[in-house]
Amino acid sequence: MDQFLQHVINALSLGSIYALIALGYTMVFGVLQLINFAHGEIYMLGAFTGMYTIRWLRLEEHPGIGSLIIALIAAMAASATAGFVIERLAYRPLRKSPRINLLITAVGVSLFLQYTGQLIFGSDPQFFPTGILELEGYNWSYGDLVIEPMQIVALVLALILMVVLQYIIFRTRLGRAMRAVSFNHDLASLMGIPTNQIISATFMLGSALAGAAGVLVGLIYPKIDPLMGTMPGLKAFVAAVLGGIGNVTGAVLGAFTLGLAEEFLVGYWVPTYRDALAFGILILILLFKPSGLLGVHRAEKV
Amino acid sequence: MEAVRTQPHTTKSRFLFSTSTFQTLVWGLVLLAAFVISPWIQQGINPYWFTIIIYCGINIILAVSLNLVNGFTGQFSIGHAGFMAVGAYVAAVVTMALGANPAWNEFVASSGIPANAVLPIGLCLGGVAAAGAGYMVGMPSLRLRGDYLAIVTLGFGEIIRVVMMNTEAVGGASGLNNIPFLSDFGWVYSSVVLTVFCVWRMVHSSHGRTLLAVREDEIAGEAMGVNTTQAKVRAFAMGAFFAGIAGGLYAHQLQILTPQTFDFNRSFEIVIMVVLGGMGSISGSVVAAILLTVLREALRVIQTWYEIDIRMVIYSLVLIILMLTRPNGLFGSREIIDFFPASLRRKLAGRAEARGGVKQ
């Protein structure tokens, strides 16, 4: 039982990371129908920005939630900028061209960021300064069950960000414009919505969440390297598809489901197949319910 | 959208024998050339260049076969290395098992067939296994939009890698060793010719036009009675088959297989060959494959300065710039033949395949 609960807790903290990344995927897909392959790399950028902010501002000397929030904001700002620049330089000029070109560009951007990241940050893994929070004495254990305080911090922060996002999407003018653009691009622009700005804003918002996920993952698994984004990025995409791509609640649900599935697979069955599971799930979901758990089936239009 | 599916209107396409005798002659000569120049290449060229030539051949097979999926059918597959891995492992296991089998060795000794005849058996089985894998992957994902296919193929490559790493029978993470060296020039060359020929004939058959219909407008194609899913799966399985053959050749050239060889970067290299050459141009793929294989060797020098793979930075940048400025690649959908003088072109292409006029 303790072991079971332990897996659930691990799965929740892992799932919250996936959820933050999956939200960006699903939002971008919503407005552009584009799989932004570079999203995982934006998450990597977030982790590195967080690390360098903590190092350069010497935030470790003043541990506490305030310092963490400074690092988080820096990472989110850097990621949002990266998202904005990528959309502007690589995706916008191609908006009218065939979708396959856009997809190829996205893959190109993703690889470019990975390998330039290796040039700039070095290819060896670096340690994320987890000393930014002093949580030595707060380990809570019950029998075999150990709850890492970092996991709880990450989970809570992720949930707060998700609530904020939910508020932005469903309660603000920007969110309404985003939903309009995602519903129908041309119609939205006829209604006077500046679609280009809204798409930029969507990219920035999604990228900011990925950047935050980068910092939070640094807290839980403090080893970061320039290629760290690929796998979580793809898995988050699977989570987004699992929940129904384009659906914000679905992305969160899919992410937690994937987190649970992975954690149980590792805990109870074959740990070495961890990375294969997500793709197995993807193939199954495409086979049996391509619209995802919460998605609605949209007929393709001519 | 559920369109009424009817059987596509097909006439009997002569897949292997074109009507132009001149054409058949050219292909025959090209294939024969393999056996004429093979010993010369084998002995007269320094081993480093020989290896590069072999890699050029393998990359040509990979690029041309991927072009069938990415270029002609318009489906974006980025898991070609996965199929290559299936072919490589199956071919290696087959040749190693046969080589260790006394009954087979006796048969070879008594019947007088050359000892390396075991390679085509391995290649064929590897190709068939890869095609089967392609069919399995393609079936669920090809019914959906292209983007999903990209992720599924990528994921498939990952799954293959994880499975190979956990299968002790093929060496697990440390890899498969002691594969016999069998990929001599003759086999690689004839495989290249066979691949180019098959893809070329496929594209110019009525099946090929089905693929073009899928690429140009899937919904319109479906309305015209094209079974789009079937067309896509067919192209996919055929592409996978040749990727498997390339994998088999690769295995018997390198003599060691590790799962890490077939990672995403490998797939990406093949994609960029196709894109650079021009999606929908066979000769473009051939040229780009040779170009990038040689370029990679040239970049090896720079790679020793930094200790990381600068090659991928350049590749990805090339890909982005290409998409932004010249999305059709070097050749677009034209073939190298289109740049020849018209008189020669007409002869080479036969009367049927002149661009635009299509033979039924």
Side-chain angles (χ1 to χ4, degrees):
Chain A
M1 188 63 201
D2 284 352
Q3 210 190 351
F4 176 80
L5 278 178
Q6 184 75 62
H7 288 311
V8 171
I9 289 163
N10 291 349
L12 284 179
S13 67
L14 185 66
S16 63
I17 304 288
Y18 287 159
L20 285 179
I21 311 173
L23 282 169
Y25 265 116
T26 219
M27 283 162 60
V28 166
F29 192 89
V31 294
L32 271 190
Q33 270 78 49
L34 162 76
I35 299 175
N36 183 11
F37 271 96
H39 202 62
E41 277 56 57
I42 289 177
Y43 151 87
M44 174 271 288
L45 278 181
F48 274 95
T49 317
M51 185 190 77
Y52 282 115
T53 314
I54 294 170
R55 273 198 199 160
W56 286 339
L57 297 182
R58 305 212 177 136
L59 291 174
E60 267 185 296
E61 291 165 14
H62 315 278
I65 197 80
S67 303
L68 177 64
I69 286 177
I70 292 174
L72 209 55
I73 288 174
M76 286 170 81
S79 301
T81 316
F84 175 78
V85 171
I86 290 169
E87 195 271 335
R88 196 60 195 257
L89 293 185
Y91 298 155
R92 191 175 294 181
L94 288 172
R95 204 166 296 157
K96 292 274 185 293
S97 51
R99 293 165 54 88
I100 188 163
N101 294 5
L102 207 59
L103 207 58
I104 293 171
T105 315
V107 175
V109 171
S110 157
L111 285 156
F112 179 71
L113 290 179
Q114 278 174 29
Y115 288 93
T116 354
Q118 284 198 336
L119 269 184
I120 296 168
F121 306 131
S123 51
D124 297 326
Q126 303 192 38
F127 280 93
F128 195 87
T130 43
I132 189 162
L133 285 180
E134 270 188 339
L135 295 167
E136 285 306 316
Y138 292 92
N139 272 8
W140 188 81
S141 59
Y142 176 82
D144 288 342
L145 181 69
V146 181
I147 297 180
E148 295 265 341
M150 286 297 187
Q151 288 184 328
I152 302 300
V153 171
L155 181 61
V156 169
L157 282 174
L159 286 176
I160 291 172
L161 285 172
M162 286 176 221
V163 171
V164 170
L165 180 76
Q166 199 77 5
Y167 176 80
I168 292 176
I169 290 182
F170 290 103
R171 291 277 185 280
T172 62
R173 270 170 70 88
L174 175 67
R176 197 189 299 152
M178 274 157 58
R179 280 180 290 142
V181 172
S182 130
F183 182 75
N184 189 328
H185 211 281
D186 297 330
L187 206 56
S189 72
L190 287 177
M191 291 294 146
I193 293 171
T195 41
N196 277 339
Q197 283 176 30
I198 298 300
I199 289 171
S200 284
T202 313
F203 260 88
M204 291 172 76
L205 205 54
S207 303
L209 290 176
V215 173
L216 298 183
V217 92
L219 292 178
I220 312 177
Y221 309 101
K223 229 166 94 177
I224 59 176
D225 66 275
L227 301 184
M228 68 187 271
T230 324
M231 247 323 133
L234 291 172
K235 285 177 182 170
F237 171 76
V238 173
V241 174
L242 180 61
I245 193 141
N247 185 317
V248 175
T249 328
V252 177
L253 181 70
F256 282 115
T257 314
L258 184 65
L260 280 171
E262 257 189 17
E263 203 55 51
F264 284 133
L265 180 88
V266 171
Y268 291 114
W269 200 20
V270 276
T272 42
Y273 279 87
R274 177 175 208 142
D275 287 345
L277 173 79
F279 301 109
I281 291 182
L282 180 68
I283 293 178
L284 286 181
I285 198 100
L286 290 181
L287 202 54
F288 293 112
K289 200 173 185 317
S291 54
L293 294 175
L294 297 184
V296 279
H297 185 71
R298 263 203 229 172
E300 274 191 43
K301 282 171 283 189
V302 180
Chain B
M1 193 181 93
E2 204 47 49
V4 183
R5 286 176 199 279
T6 50
Q7 279 303 307
H9 170 76
T10 50
T11 50
K12 216 182 255 175
S13 65
R14 281 176 247 172
F15 180 66
L16 285 176
F17 303 101
S18 58
T19 43
S20 154
T21 29
F22 185 78
Q23 221 171 37
T24 324
L25 207 69
V26 167
W27 280 108
L29 278 178
V30 165
L31 201 57
L32 257 181
F35 299 99
V36 178
I37 52 178
S38 176
W40 178 75
I41 293 264
Q42 215 92 310
Q43 289 151 15
I45 278 187
N46 91 42
Y48 178 62
W49 279 103
F50 177 71
T51 315
I52 294 179
I53 291 175
I54 297 290
Y55 281 138
C56 278
I58 292 171
N59 283 336
I60 290 172
I61 301 178
L62 288 168
V64 170
S65 60
L66 185 67
N67 204 346
L68 187 67
V69 181
N70 279 17
F72 291 104
T73 322
Q75 306 299 308
F76 193 48
S77 161
I78 43 178
H80 222 48
F83 301 116
M84 190 185 165
V86 173
Y89 272 96
V90 171
V93 167
V94 166
T95 54
M96 284 167 82
L98 278 181
N101 189 340
W104 168 262
N105 285 328
E106 209 170 291
F107 170 71
V108 169
S110 62
S111 65
I113 54 170
N116 65 357
V118 70
L119 182 66
I121 301 175
L123 289 184
C124 285
L125 288 177
V128 169
Y135 185 80
M136 262 166 49
V137 178
M139 219 39 203
S141 43
L142 284 167
R143 291 190 310 177
L144 296 144
R145 275 222 303 263
D147 325 21
Y148 288 104
L149 180 70
I151 300 268
V152 171
T153 49
L154 205 166
F156 166 74
E158 252 353 271
I159 292 178
I160 287 286
R161 225 179 65 205
V162 173
V163 169
M164 295 302 178
M165 271 192 187
N166 291 297
T167 312
E168 284 309 316
V170 293
S174 55
L176 196 61
N177 294 318
N178 300 326
I179 305 167
F181 179 85
L182 295 170
S183 298
D184 58 10
F185 182 78
W187 285 122
V188 174
Y189 184 86
S190 35
S191 308
V192 169
V193 173
L194 197 71
T195 309
V196 173
F197 179 69
C198 286
V199 172
W200 180 65
R201 289 305 299 159
M202 170 82 171
V203 171
H204 289 93
S205 69
S206 63
H207 296 308
R209 286 191 292 282
T210 324
L211 304 185
L212 295 183
V214 170
R215 177 184 75 183
E216 293 305 327
D217 192 331
E218 209 174 319
I219 294 168
E222 204 161 340
M224 299 306 284
V226 172
N227 187 342
T228 51
T229 306
Q230 196 194 51
K232 284 190 273 185
V233 172
R234 194 180 286 154
F236 207 65
M238 189 167 163
F241 175 82
F242 287 113
I245 289 200
L249 290 171
Y250 182 76
H252 294 92
Q253 146 71 26
L254 204 64
Q255 292 164 276
I256 173 167
L257 286 180
T258 49
Q260 289 84 357
T261 319
F262 304 102
D263 60 357
F264 179 55
N265 289 349
R266 187 76 230 205
S267 300
F268 181 67
E269 255 179 81
I270 312 170
V271 168
I272 189 165
M273 283 169 194
V274 172
V275 175
L276 180 68
M279 291 192 287
S281 167
I282 296 172
S283 41
S285 291
V286 174
V287 170
I290 295 173
L291 205 68
L292 287 180
T293 314
V294 175
L295 180 72
R296 183 174 68 181
E297 293 306 318
L299 286 179
R300 225 172 260 280
V301 185
I302 306 179
Q303 204 174 327
T304 47
W305 297 347
Y306 305 95
E307 274 167 1
I308 62 141
D309 213 349
I310 187 96
R311 192 174 81 222
M312 293 306 284
V313 179
I314 296 175
Y315 276 13
S316 50
L317 209 57
V318 165
L319 194 67
I320 300 169
I321 293 171
L322 215 65
M323 277 295 121
L324 289 173
T325 55
R326 195 179 163 81
N328 292 330
L330 292 177
F331 283 32
S333 59
R334 283 177 298 180
E335 297 294 346
I336 203 160
I337 219 175
D338 295 331
F339 299 105
F340 289 177
S343 57
L344 184 62
R345 188 164 70 214
R346 224 171 290 127
K347 227 177 191 179
L348 274 173
R351 67 186 158 75
E353 263 86 40
R355 193 140 298 273
V358 217
K359 175 183 55 175
Q360 278 294 325

